[in-house]
Amino acid sequence: MIDQLLHPKIAFWTGLGLLIVGFVLGNFVIPNLYWAAQSIGFPLASQFASGLASGVEFLTQIARLVGPVLIVGALVMLKIERTSAGTRSS
């Protein structure tokens, strides 16, 4: 199972997906969550919405960190596969 996840195409598209999710969450969802938290008149609901926004922001930071690492790792794995395939055929 884990060896199937380490294919360069899967790692590349997963990294790209994480970058897109991080971008969407960071630019559209989080500002709206903070705005909703500030517009709620009840203190407990406002604290809950702020906590939810902090959790989403944490997940966004993880996605923005892991996404590029997966993309670079996929490119490195692809280069290694092509290099090793070239030396075997020679």
Side-chain angles (χ1 to χ4, degrees):
M1 174 73 181
I2 192 72
D3 60 336
Q4 293 175 349
L5 294 176
L6 292 177
H7 291 293
K9 281 185 181 179
I10 295 173
F12 178 78
W13 288 110
T14 304
L16 192 62
L18 284 173
L19 278 177
I20 291 171
V21 166
F23 174 77
V24 169
L25 286 176
N27 291 330
F28 301 114
V29 175
I30 292 176
N32 289 330
L33 280 175
Y34 280 122
W35 176 79
Q38 291 174 353
S39 66
I40 296 174
F42 302 105
L44 186 59
S46 178
Q47 289 175 352
F48 174 76
S50 293
L52 181 65
S54 297
V56 171
E57 188 173 6
F58 176 71
L59 292 175
T60 301
Q61 294 298 324
I62 289 175
R64 286 181 178 175
L65 177 71
V66 173
V69 171
L70 284 174
I71 292 173
V72 170
L75 294 175
V76 168
M77 285 191 299
L78 187 61
K79 180 67 176 171
I80 290 172
E81 283 181 5
R82 288 189 178 170
T83 304
S84 65
T87 56
R88 276 189 254 154
S89 64
S90 298

